[in-house]
Amino acid sequence: MTLVACLLTGAERAAIASIGLAGANASQVIAGCFRAASGSEILVNQIRYGTVGDESIVVTRLPDRDGDQRWELHCHGGAAAAAQILADLAAAGVTIVDHDVWLARDGKTLLQCEAIDVLARTVTARTAAIALDQARGAVEDFVDQSLATLRNADSKSIEIVKSQAVHILRFENIGLHLAAPWRVVLAGKPNVGKSSLVNALVGYRRSITFDQPGTTRDVLHADAVIDGWPIRLSDTAGIRHDATDKIESEGIDRAQAVIGHADLVVWVEDVRDWKPVNALPSMLTGKSCLQVVNKVDLAAAQTQRSANLPVMTSAIRDGGIETLRHAILLKLVPCSPSPGDAVPINPRQVDCITLIKAARSVFEIEAILHNLKGKSMAAP
Ligand code: GDP
């Protein structure tokens, strides 16, 4: 594979998209397809404005490495421009490769490749900062420091490494949600105000609200960002067991399926039906749940002020919505990492670090750490 190119930026629409090109004759490819606005030669670390086909781009020549000439092409951030340039490069004989192939060819370690892959798929500055810390080697530092600690080969060093592993695993859920949003499902009987609450949380009218049970017939999703965390809110058909309408029953089945995959279920009740003794329905057993009592604007004032109540909201009066956002976050992200903290960002890393907790010998932990780093351990 002498000539390769890869889309370096994420798949989402952005201000610019960047494409990397590398290979022994990469400069020849650029000379063949890039029309510079000014005709002078492009030296290493210089940039030039020009076009590839109909697309306006800026190219940069990077220093050669390991016999590769290396270039970066920066174009409009919509998907069409990058796709057109990649097609032009492919027509010029360049092999278009995925991120992991590109990064491995670039000499990146497995942990760096995994982190950069996640970084490219983050959608908020907060999640990107955590992924960037991992790309800069936070988990790698944990591995190296642990291996150094284990050189003492005593039970104390085992305990130190294990307690570090426990500390890191507190961020497991965050790591697994850097590139995939948390799934929060609003469920409850028809007409309690689930759609209205989604609208209030998101800040725009995503669901139809209508004063007749059964209006939300399917599961509607709305992507939101709360305090820098990406959250997908799902607004389900009201759960009631006497649904006669076939379409409504189908909606309820889908709601139950989506509840099964939820990270958090917000169970909504109408204040006029709510009593402190109301229990959650059995289908929510074992799920992380948050109880919300809505339409408090229709209830007596003292009901809203009693102690130990669920979150009380009025979706149409914007009452308690900030408290609800806060309560959702407390459930999803009870503790967040400090800058530079190691965070496991995929199931492979979580599995390795979990194994450290249960390991018994120095040798066993060393083997897991090497595995986490992506290198098999040399025979003792
Ligand atoms: P869903 O079936 O649970 O999704 O309920 P909707 O969000 O469609 O709301 C049903 C009806 O209750 C609509 O007429 C809403 O305007 C109304 N509603 C929703 N939230 C509130 C609230 O907090 N207070 C009052 N008074 N009405 C509400």
Side-chain angles (χ1 to χ4, degrees), residues 208-233:
I208 317 155
T209 60
F210 187 58
D211 194 8
Q212 183 183 317
T215 309
T216 310
R217 298 265 164 108
D218 204 344
V219 178
L220 295 174
H221 304 291
D223 288 324
V225 172
I226 303 183
D227 206 20
W229 304 110
I231 292 177
R232 170 159 291 188
L233 295 161

Side-chain angles (χ1 to χ4, degrees), residues 212-215 217 240 242-252:
Q212 183 183 317
T215 309
R217 298 265 164 108
R240 55 174 192 168
D242 59 346
T244 43
D245 179 333
K246 235 181 150 187
I247 302 174
E248 190 187 343
S249 302
E250 173 64 21
I252 292 171

Side-chain angles (χ1 to χ4, degrees), residues 186 189-212 215-216 220 233-236 268 292 294-295 297 313-319 321 324-325:
L186 279 88
K189 288 188 182 152
N191 228 23
V192 293
K194 298 179 295 298
S195 308
S196 307
L197 280 172
V198 169
N199 292 337
L201 284 166
V202 173
Y204 62 90
R205 281 174 65 84
R206 174 67 184 83
S207 319
I208 317 155
T209 60
F210 187 58
D211 194 8
Q212 183 183 317
T215 309
T216 310
L220 295 174
L233 295 161
S234 299
D235 172 13
T236 58
V268 187
V292 172
N294 190 37
K295 305 196 186 184
D297 53 291
T313 58
S314 168
I316 59 159
R317 300 257 170 93
D318 201 26
I321 301 303
L324 175 56
R325 281 201 189 97

Side-chain angles (χ1 to χ4, degrees), residues 123-135:
V123 292
T124 73
R126 186 166 197 168
T127 50
I130 296 170
L132 193 58
D133 278 341
Q134 313 318 307

